[in-house]
Amino acid sequence: MRLKGEVLKQVRRKRGLSQTALAEGICTQATISLMEKQNRIPKMNILTSLCARLDIPVDRIIENDDVSMTVFFDQISLMLVNHDFEGARKKLNRVKVKKLQNDFDKQHYYYLLGMLQVASDQVDDAIFNFELILTQFFSTTSANIYLAMTTVGMALAYEKRGDTEKALQFVGRAIHLIDDKQLNGGKRQWIILYHEISGLYYRLGQYRRAISMAGRGIKICREEQTLFLLGGLYMTRGQAQAKLDQGDVAQESLTVALSIYKIMEDDTAQETLSQELSQLVE
Protein backbone atom coordinates (compact mmCIF):
# COMPACT_ATOMS: atom_id res chain seq x y z
CA MET A 1 0.00 0.00 0.00
CA ARG A 2 1.44 3.38 -1.04
CA LEU A 3 0.21 6.88 -0.27
CA LYS A 4 0.27 9.39 -3.14
CA GLY A 5 1.29 12.43 -1.11
CA GLU A 6 1.61 14.74 -4.10
CA VAL A 7 -1.96 13.96 -5.17
CA LEU A 8 -3.15 14.67 -1.63
CA LYS A 9 -1.42 18.06 -1.72
CA GLN A 10 -2.94 18.92 -5.11
CA VAL A 11 -6.47 18.04 -3.96
CA ARG A 12 -6.03 19.92 -0.69
CA ARG A 13 -4.90 23.07 -2.50
CA LYS A 14 -7.71 22.74 -5.04
CA ARG A 15 -10.16 22.71 -2.12
CA GLY A 16 -8.53 25.88 -0.78
CA LEU A 17 -7.44 24.24 2.48
CA SER A 18 -4.21 24.72 4.38
CA GLN A 19 -2.62 21.71 6.07
CA THR A 20 -3.88 23.04 9.39
CA ALA A 21 -7.45 23.46 8.11
CA LEU A 22 -7.51 19.96 6.64
CA ALA A 23 -6.17 18.47 9.86
CA GLU A 24 -8.53 20.31 12.23
CA GLY A 25 -10.39 17.89 14.49
CA ILE A 26 -8.85 14.84 12.76
CA CYS A 27 -5.09 14.82 13.28
CA THR A 28 -2.12 17.16 13.61
CA GLN A 29 -0.75 19.44 10.90
CA ALA A 30 2.49 17.46 11.16
CA THR A 31 0.61 14.31 10.11
CA ILE A 32 -0.55 16.04 6.91
CA SER A 33 2.97 17.24 6.25
CA LEU A 34 4.38 13.72 6.61
CA MET A 35 1.68 12.37 4.32
CA GLU A 36 2.41 14.91 1.60
CA LYS A 37 6.20 15.01 1.83
CA GLN A 38 7.08 11.46 2.82
CA ASN A 39 4.00 9.52 1.69
CA ARG A 40 3.49 8.46 5.31
CA ILE A 41 0.29 6.45 5.76
CA PRO A 42 -1.70 7.38 8.90
CA LYS A 43 -4.18 5.20 10.79
CA MET A 44 -7.11 4.20 8.62
CA ASN A 45 -9.70 6.22 10.59
CA ILE A 46 -7.56 9.35 10.03
CA LEU A 47 -7.13 8.56 6.34
CA THR A 48 -10.83 8.01 5.74
CA SER A 49 -11.78 11.14 7.69
CA LEU A 50 -9.36 13.26 5.66
CA CYS A 51 -10.71 11.82 2.40
CA ALA A 52 -14.26 12.50 3.59
CA ARG A 53 -13.37 16.13 4.30
CA LEU A 54 -11.82 16.42 0.84
CA ASP A 55 -14.81 14.52 -0.62
CA ILE A 56 -12.66 12.01 -2.48
CA PRO A 57 -12.56 8.20 -2.35
CA VAL A 58 -9.66 6.65 -0.44
CA ASP A 59 -8.31 5.03 -3.57
CA ARG A 60 -7.73 8.51 -5.05
CA ILE A 61 -4.64 8.89 -2.86
CA ILE A 62 -3.82 5.25 -2.05
CA GLU A 63 -2.35 2.66 -4.37
CA ASN A 64 -3.12 -0.78 -3.06
CA ASP A 65 -4.45 -4.10 -4.24
CA ASP A 66 -6.79 -4.09 -1.23
CA VAL A 67 -7.46 -0.45 -0.28
CA SER A 68 -8.80 -1.29 3.20
CA MET A 69 -12.40 -2.35 2.72
CA THR A 70 -13.85 1.09 2.09
CA VAL A 71 -14.71 0.70 -1.58
CA PHE A 72 -16.08 -2.80 -1.00
CA PHE A 73 -18.28 -1.65 1.87
CA ASP A 74 -19.50 1.37 -0.12
CA GLN A 75 -20.76 -1.02 -2.79
CA ILE A 76 -22.76 -2.88 -0.14
CA SER A 77 -24.15 0.43 1.16
CA LEU A 78 -25.50 1.21 -2.32
CA MET A 79 -27.08 -2.24 -2.51
CA LEU A 80 -28.88 -1.55 0.76
CA VAL A 81 -30.08 1.83 -0.50
CA ASN A 82 -31.45 0.10 -3.58
CA HIS A 83 -33.09 -2.62 -1.44
CA ASP A 84 -30.90 -5.33 -2.98
CA PHE A 85 -30.71 -7.11 0.36
CA GLU A 86 -29.82 -10.52 -1.05
CA GLY A 87 -26.95 -9.10 -3.08
CA ALA A 88 -25.71 -7.14 -0.06
CA ARG A 89 -25.91 -10.22 2.13
CA LYS A 90 -23.92 -12.35 -0.31
CA LYS A 91 -21.26 -9.66 -0.62
CA LEU A 92 -21.01 -9.10 3.13
CA ASN A 93 -20.71 -12.85 3.73
CA ARG A 94 -17.44 -12.74 1.81
CA VAL A 95 -15.84 -10.60 4.52
CA LYS A 96 -13.51 -12.39 6.96
CA VAL A 97 -14.17 -10.38 10.12
CA LYS A 98 -11.03 -11.55 11.92
CA LYS A 99 -8.93 -10.21 9.06
CA LEU A 100 -10.29 -6.66 9.29
CA GLN A 101 -7.25 -4.63 10.29
CA ASN A 102 -8.67 -1.43 11.77
CA ASP A 103 -11.57 -0.18 13.85
CA PHE A 104 -13.04 1.85 11.00
CA ASP A 105 -13.52 -1.26 8.86
CA LYS A 106 -15.03 -3.08 11.84
CA GLN A 107 -17.46 -0.21 12.45
CA HIS A 108 -18.45 -0.26 8.81
CA TYR A 109 -18.88 -4.06 8.76
CA TYR A 110 -21.04 -4.30 11.88
CA TYR A 111 -23.12 -1.29 10.79
CA LEU A 112 -23.92 -2.92 7.44
CA LEU A 113 -24.61 -6.24 9.14
CA GLY A 114 -26.97 -4.51 11.56
CA MET A 115 -28.81 -2.72 8.75
CA LEU A 116 -29.23 -6.03 6.89
CA GLN A 117 -30.60 -7.60 10.06
CA VAL A 118 -33.08 -4.74 10.51
CA ALA A 119 -34.25 -5.26 6.92
CA SER A 120 -34.79 -8.98 7.58
CA ASP A 121 -36.52 -8.43 10.96
CA GLN A 122 -33.62 -9.85 12.99
CA VAL A 123 -34.08 -7.00 15.42
CA ASP A 124 -32.33 -8.44 18.47
CA ASP A 125 -29.24 -9.33 16.43
CA ALA A 126 -29.23 -5.86 14.88
CA ILE A 127 -29.39 -4.15 18.27
CA PHE A 128 -26.55 -6.36 19.52
CA ASN A 129 -24.30 -5.36 16.60
CA PHE A 130 -25.17 -1.66 16.83
CA GLU A 131 -24.41 -1.72 20.57
CA LEU A 132 -21.12 -3.43 19.80
CA ILE A 133 -20.14 -0.51 17.58
CA LEU A 134 -21.27 2.17 20.02
CA THR A 135 -19.55 0.62 23.04
CA GLN A 136 -16.32 -0.70 21.53
CA PHE A 137 -15.32 1.38 18.54
CA PHE A 138 -15.86 5.02 19.41
CA SER A 139 -13.47 5.73 22.27
CA THR A 140 -10.91 7.40 20.00
CA THR A 141 -12.85 7.95 16.77
CA SER A 142 -16.01 9.63 18.01
CA ALA A 143 -15.94 12.20 15.19
CA ASN A 144 -16.77 9.43 12.68
CA ILE A 145 -20.13 9.70 10.87
CA TYR A 146 -20.82 6.04 11.72
CA LEU A 147 -21.48 7.15 15.28
CA ALA A 148 -24.61 8.94 14.03
CA MET A 149 -25.46 6.31 11.40
CA THR A 150 -25.28 3.51 13.98
CA THR A 151 -27.45 5.51 16.39
CA VAL A 152 -30.04 5.88 13.62
CA GLY A 153 -29.71 2.14 13.01
CA MET A 154 -30.69 1.58 16.64
CA ALA A 155 -33.73 3.81 16.10
CA LEU A 156 -34.73 1.78 13.03
CA ALA A 157 -34.35 -1.46 14.98
CA TYR A 158 -36.60 -0.22 17.79
CA GLU A 159 -39.11 1.01 15.21
CA LYS A 160 -39.23 -2.52 13.81
CA ARG A 161 -39.76 -3.80 17.34
CA GLY A 162 -42.70 -1.42 17.73
CA ASP A 163 -41.05 0.62 20.50
CA THR A 164 -41.81 4.15 19.29
CA GLU A 165 -40.49 5.80 22.44
CA LYS A 166 -37.02 4.27 22.12
CA ALA A 167 -36.97 4.85 18.36
CA LEU A 168 -37.60 8.57 18.94
CA GLN A 169 -35.03 8.60 21.73
CA PHE A 170 -32.29 7.21 19.49
CA VAL A 171 -33.08 9.32 16.45
CA GLY A 172 -33.10 12.38 18.72
CA ARG A 173 -29.71 11.34 20.03
CA ALA A 174 -28.44 11.06 16.45
CA ILE A 175 -29.59 14.61 15.65
CA HIS A 176 -27.85 15.81 18.80
CA LEU A 177 -24.62 14.14 17.66
CA ILE A 178 -24.91 15.67 14.19
CA ASP A 179 -25.53 19.16 15.52
CA ASP A 180 -23.04 19.10 18.39
CA LYS A 181 -20.10 17.12 17.03
CA GLN A 182 -17.90 17.69 13.99
CA LEU A 183 -18.64 14.37 12.36
CA ASN A 184 -16.52 13.38 9.38
CA GLY A 185 -18.18 11.64 6.46
CA GLY A 186 -18.56 11.66 2.70
CA LYS A 187 -21.42 13.47 1.00
CA ARG A 188 -23.20 10.26 0.07
CA GLN A 189 -23.06 9.11 3.68
CA TRP A 190 -24.65 12.37 4.80
CA ILE A 191 -27.39 12.03 2.19
CA ILE A 192 -28.09 8.44 3.28
CA LEU A 193 -28.18 9.57 6.91
CA TYR A 194 -30.73 12.35 6.31
CA HIS A 195 -32.75 10.06 4.04
CA GLU A 196 -33.01 7.47 6.83
CA ILE A 197 -33.81 10.05 9.51
CA SER A 198 -36.48 11.87 7.50
CA GLY A 199 -38.17 8.61 6.54
CA LEU A 200 -38.10 7.40 10.12
CA TYR A 201 -39.58 10.65 11.44
CA TYR A 202 -42.33 10.45 8.82
CA ARG A 203 -43.27 6.89 9.74
CA LEU A 204 -43.33 7.87 13.43
CA GLY A 205 -45.71 10.74 12.73
CA GLN A 206 -43.15 13.49 13.37
CA TYR A 207 -44.01 15.33 10.18
CA ARG A 208 -42.36 18.70 10.85
CA ARG A 209 -39.12 16.99 11.81
CA ALA A 210 -39.35 14.81 8.70
CA ILE A 211 -39.65 17.94 6.55
CA SER A 212 -36.67 19.55 8.28
CA MET A 213 -34.39 16.51 7.93
CA ALA A 214 -35.42 15.92 4.30
CA GLY A 215 -34.55 19.55 3.66
CA ARG A 216 -31.03 18.99 4.97
CA GLY A 217 -30.54 16.09 2.59
CA ILE A 218 -31.99 18.02 -0.34
CA LYS A 219 -29.60 20.89 0.37
CA ILE A 220 -26.60 18.57 0.11
CA CYS A 221 -27.92 17.03 -3.12
CA ARG A 222 -28.33 20.49 -4.63
CA GLU A 223 -24.85 21.56 -3.57
CA GLU A 224 -23.34 18.39 -5.02
CA GLN A 225 -25.62 18.45 -8.09
CA THR A 226 -26.55 14.81 -7.57
CA LEU A 227 -29.81 12.90 -7.93
CA PHE A 228 -28.65 10.33 -5.36
CA LEU A 229 -31.69 9.69 -3.11
CA LEU A 230 -33.05 13.11 -4.10
CA GLY A 231 -36.36 11.63 -5.26
CA GLY A 232 -36.85 9.87 -1.94
CA LEU A 233 -36.07 13.03 0.02
CA TYR A 234 -38.58 15.10 -1.97
CA MET A 235 -41.13 12.30 -1.68
CA THR A 236 -40.81 12.15 2.11
CA ARG A 237 -40.99 15.92 2.37
CA GLY A 238 -44.09 16.06 0.16
CA GLN A 239 -45.83 13.27 2.05
CA ALA A 240 -45.13 14.97 5.38
CA GLN A 241 -46.36 18.30 4.03
CA ALA A 242 -49.56 16.62 2.88
CA LYS A 243 -50.10 15.19 6.37
CA LEU A 244 -49.88 18.76 7.69
CA ASP A 245 -52.45 19.93 5.11
CA GLN A 246 -49.84 22.01 3.28
CA GLY A 247 -51.42 21.14 -0.06
CA ASP A 248 -49.63 23.54 -2.40
CA VAL A 249 -46.09 22.88 -1.18
CA ALA A 250 -46.83 19.16 -0.87
CA GLN A 251 -47.92 19.06 -4.50
CA GLU A 252 -44.77 20.91 -5.51
CA SER A 253 -42.50 18.51 -3.59
CA LEU A 254 -44.25 15.40 -4.89
CA THR A 255 -44.15 16.72 -8.47
CA VAL A 256 -40.38 17.22 -8.20
CA ALA A 257 -40.04 13.70 -6.80
CA LEU A 258 -42.11 12.29 -9.67
CA SER A 259 -39.90 14.05 -12.22
CA ILE A 260 -36.78 12.60 -10.62
CA TYR A 261 -38.19 9.08 -10.55
CA LYS A 262 -39.10 9.41 -14.23
CA ILE A 263 -35.46 10.17 -14.94
CA MET A 264 -34.44 7.20 -12.78
CA GLU A 265 -37.07 5.02 -14.55
CA ASP A 266 -38.50 3.82 -11.23
CA ASP A 267 -42.00 2.69 -12.23
CA THR A 268 -43.10 1.70 -8.72
CA ALA A 269 -42.27 5.08 -7.22
CA GLN A 270 -43.89 6.85 -10.17
CA GLU A 271 -47.14 4.95 -9.64
CA THR A 272 -47.18 5.75 -5.91
CA LEU A 273 -46.50 9.43 -6.51
CA SER A 274 -49.08 9.71 -9.27
CA GLN A 275 -51.73 8.33 -6.90
CA GLU A 276 -50.73 10.69 -4.10
CA LEU A 277 -50.77 13.68 -6.42
CA SER A 278 -54.24 12.70 -7.66
CA GLN A 279 -55.51 12.58 -4.08
CA LEU A 280 -54.12 16.05 -3.40
CA VAL A 281 -55.87 17.52 -6.43
CA GLU A 282 -59.24 15.96 -5.54
Side-chain angles (χ1 to χ4, degrees), residues 24 33-34 73 83 88 99-100 121 145 148 178 215 247 268 274 279:
E24 185 178 359
S33 179
L34 288 171
F73 284 146
H83 295 166
K99 292 186 178 181
L100 296 178
D121 295 325
I145 194 172
I178 292 168
T268 302
S274 295
Q279 292 172 0

Side-chain angles (χ1 to χ4, degrees), residues 142-203:
S142 58
N144 191 306
I145 194 172
Y146 282 98
L147 177 58
M149 295 183 79
T150 301
T151 305
V152 172
M154 288 286 279
L156 293 169
Y158 279 109
E159 180 203 12
K160 271 290 182 76
R161 184 180 274 182
D163 192 334
T164 299
E165 184 178 348
K166 279 200 172 182
L168 286 171
Q169 177 185 339
F170 274 102
V171 73
R173 190 178 300 175
I175 298 300
H176 178 76
L177 289 168
I178 292 168
D179 291 343
D180 290 5
K181 288 185 177 290
Q182 190 175 2
L183 299 176
N184 296 305
K187 299 298 184 183
R188 280 200 167 194
Q189 291 170 317
W190 281 108
I191 295 169
I192 290 172
L193 183 58
Y194 286 128
H195 184 266
E196 293 286 4
I197 292 174
S198 60
L200 179 58
Y201 269 141
Y202 174 76
R203 294 191 300 275

Side-chain angles (χ1 to χ4, degrees), residues 10-266:
Q10 291 172 1
V11 174
R12 174 179 62 77
R13 288 179 172 176
K14 186 176 180 179
R15 299 288 191 270
L17 296 172
S18 65
Q19 289 184 345
T20 301
L22 176 58
E24 185 178 359
I26 300 175
C27 60
T28 64
Q29 179 272 329
T31 298
I32 305 296
S33 179
L34 288 171
M35 291 173 70
E36 293 184 352
K37 294 180 180 179
Q38 299 182 22
N39 298 321
R40 185 76 61 84
I41 300 174
K43 291 182 178 179
M44 188 55 64
N45 66 292
I46 292 176
L47 180 64
T48 53
S49 294
L50 292 172
C51 288
R53 180 163 290 175
L54 293 168
D55 197 24
I56 58 173
V58 174
D59 56 5
R60 175 80 178 274
I61 60 172
I62 287 287
E63 286 183 351
N64 186 10
D65 291 336
D66 56 346
V67 183
S68 78
M69 296 292 293
T70 303
V71 175
F72 184 80
F73 284 146
D74 283 347
Q75 292 171 351
I76 298 175
S77 292
L78 288 177
M79 288 179 172
L80 289 175
V81 166
N82 293 320
H83 295 166
D84 180 9
F85 302 122
E86 186 59 31
R89 182 175 291 105
K90 287 179 180 179
K91 207 169 184 65
L92 197 62
N93 284 342
R94 290 164 50 189
V95 177
K96 305 298 182 183
V97 183
K98 292 183 179 180
K99 292 186 178 181
L100 296 178
Q101 298 180 356
N102 57 76
D103 281 352
F104 181 78
D105 285 344
K106 292 174 184 176
Q107 292 165 23
H108 209 157
Y109 170 81
Y110 284 111
Y111 166 76
L112 293 170
L113 178 59
M115 292 300 285
L116 267 172
Q117 290 166 335
V118 169
S120 57
D121 295 325
Q122 298 172 280
V123 177
D124 290 340
D125 290 337
I127 290 173
F128 175 84
N129 285 309
F130 291 143
E131 285 181 342
L132 181 68
I133 300 171
L134 295 173
T135 57
Q136 293 193 22
F137 298 128
F138 280 105
S139 58
T140 58
T141 57
S142 58
N144 191 306
I145 194 172
Y146 282 98
L147 177 58
M149 295 183 79
T150 301
T151 305
V152 172
M154 288 286 279
L156 293 169
Y158 279 109
E159 180 203 12
K160 271 290 182 76
R161 184 180 274 182
D163 192 334
T164 299
E165 184 178 348
K166 279 200 172 182
L168 286 171
Q169 177 185 339
F170 274 102
V171 73
R173 190 178 300 175
I175 298 300
H176 178 76
L177 289 168
I178 292 168
D179 291 343
D180 290 5
K181 288 185 177 290
Q182 190 175 2
L183 299 176
N184 296 305
K187 299 298 184 183
R188 280 200 167 194
Q189 291 170 317
W190 281 108
I191 295 169
I192 290 172
L193 183 58
Y194 286 128
H195 184 266
E196 293 286 4
I197 292 174
S198 60
L200 179 58
Y201 269 141
Y202 174 76
R203 294 191 300 275
L204 295 176
Q206 303 292 311
Y207 302 126
R208 296 189 187 281
R209 291 177 179 176
I211 292 168
S212 175
M213 292 300 110
R216 292 192 189 190
I218 291 168
K219 183 175 183 291
I220 297 173
C221 289
R222 286 175 174 171
E223 291 172 349
E224 298 302 308
Q225 298 182 340
T226 178
L227 294 179
F228 179 66
L229 293 181
L230 185 58
L233 289 162
Y234 268 108
M235 186 174 181
T236 298
R237 186 167 79 169
Q239 290 171 330
Q241 289 165 335
K243 290 290 186 180
L244 295 172
D245 294 325
Q246 299 174 0
D248 290 342
V249 289
Q251 185 173 350
E252 181 180 338
S253 295
L254 294 176
T255 299
V256 172
L258 179 59
S259 298
I260 294 169
Y261 280 122
K262 284 181 178 178
I263 295 172
M264 306 300 289
E265 298 182 345
D266 187 328

